Amino acid sequence: MMQTLSEHPVPVPVPSRSRRDREEARLFARYKRTGDQAARAELAARFLPLARHLANRYRERGESEDLVQVASYALVKAIDRYDPDRGLAFSSFAVPTITGELKRYFRDHGWAVHVPRELKERALAVRRAAEQLGTRLGRSPTPGEIAFVMDTSVESVLEALQTASALRPDRLDAPIEAGDGEQEHPGVAAEERGYALAEASATLQPLLAALSPRDREILRLRFEEDLTQTEIGAQLGLSQMHVSRLVRKAIARLQLLAAETPAAGAT
């Protein structure tokens, strides 16, 4: 019986880099060496799907076409800044560059309310001027200094600064520093604990008046001074067990008086 020999393919060495990677490496080398704009354009076309993918992550927050345009601009900027000799893959370099540009776009264009385009542009120009001037001066510039640098009126600068508040309005629940260093939330409706304490005090006062002076003192030491039953006993010359019985008895008396008070008020 004839035996058929199975043919095993001769293993082919796998290249360390794919053909596409080698082509992109040649394009980057040509562009960096000669400034070949055709190589630059081909690189942009090759990596445009990456820019579109990153832009689509944010499409719910803005116009899709605008985001793709911003991402494409950032892609070209990444191509210009990329240094192949550093050994970093271009995609690893481009992704943070593109996402950073997209985030800056939302920072500069994410207005909370509708603002006329002219005012938007003026507000952004004033902010950039203020940042640059502040860096030079080492402090926050005055509206007059910003107006001088921009060759405009102080009124125009003040209007732009007021308009800029629509970019990131204060949250109602944003904490502010109170006079004693604590944080408060004045814009949020909340129940004031002091009202409840005052109401409870007004309710308890007539009930406590019905107790003996010793029982009132024991309750005061226990619940206002926060002393233990042993500490109360040491002050009043009583045992801890005796103090415990007096506390329970006084509380039971208050509960009984509180239950009788509505009925008495109704008669």
Side-chain angles (χ1 to χ4, degrees), residues 98-257:
I98 296 172
T99 54
E101 197 68 36
L102 288 166
K103 290 177 181 178
R104 275 190 291 274
Y105 171 81
F106 285 115
R107 183 195 66 188
D108 294 341
H109 296 83
W111 298 83
V113 297
H114 176 71
V115 176
R117 185 179 186 87
E118 188 272 333
L119 283 178
K120 283 184 183 180
E121 294 175 351
R122 194 197 314 169
L124 294 174
V126 166
R127 190 179 70 179
R128 285 193 293 267
E131 290 174 352
Q132 294 171 1
L133 194 56
T135 301
R136 291 208 309 266
L137 298 175
R139 58 173 174 81
S140 298
T142 65
E145 291 169 334
I146 299 173
F148 178 79
V149 169
M150 296 184 64
D151 192 21
T152 186
S153 66
V154 175
E155 291 77 11
S156 178
V157 170
L158 292 173
E159 184 181 22
L161 292 173
Q162 185 177 11
T163 301
S165 64
L167 179 58
R168 279 183 295 274
D170 293 336
R171 299 189 342 256
L172 286 178
D173 60 344
I176 62 171
E177 291 292 332
D180 55 0
E182 296 182 354
Q183 291 186 331
E184 295 181 345
H185 299 265
V188 179
E191 183 178 354
E192 173 56 54
R193 292 182 65 247
Y195 296 145
L197 292 174
E199 184 178 1
S201 178
T203 302
L204 282 174
Q205 284 302 325
L207 303 180
L208 290 170
L211 299 179
S212 66
R214 185 180 67 173
D215 287 348
R216 287 199 300 272
E217 179 64 8
I218 289 174
L219 292 182
R220 187 188 69 81
L221 293 173
R222 180 68 185 92
F223 295 105
E224 291 186 21
E225 302 295 332
D226 198 26
L227 299 183
T228 65
Q229 293 177 356
T230 301
E231 291 170 336
I232 296 171
Q235 284 197 22
L236 302 181
L238 303 171
S239 67
Q240 183 270 330
M241 291 185 63
H242 193 183
V243 171
S244 178
R245 286 195 298 269
L246 291 174
V247 169
R248 289 198 304 270
K249 181 180 177 182
I251 292 176
R253 175 67 173 156
L254 288 175
Q255 291 173 336
L256 179 62
L257 291 172

Side-chain angles (χ1 to χ4, degrees), residues 81-89 93:
R81 293 167 51 194
Y82 177 61
D83 183 2
D85 295 335
R86 297 182 64 180
L88 181 68
F93 176 79

Side-chain angles (χ1 to χ4, degrees), residues 13-32:
V14 178
S16 59
R17 303 182 66 184
S18 68
R19 178 181 175 182
R20 180 182 177 88
D21 290 340
R22 291 198 303 271
E23 290 175 352
E24 290 166 358
R26 283 197 294 268
L27 288 170
F28 272 116
R30 194 168 83 211
Y31 175 55
K32 296 300 178 182

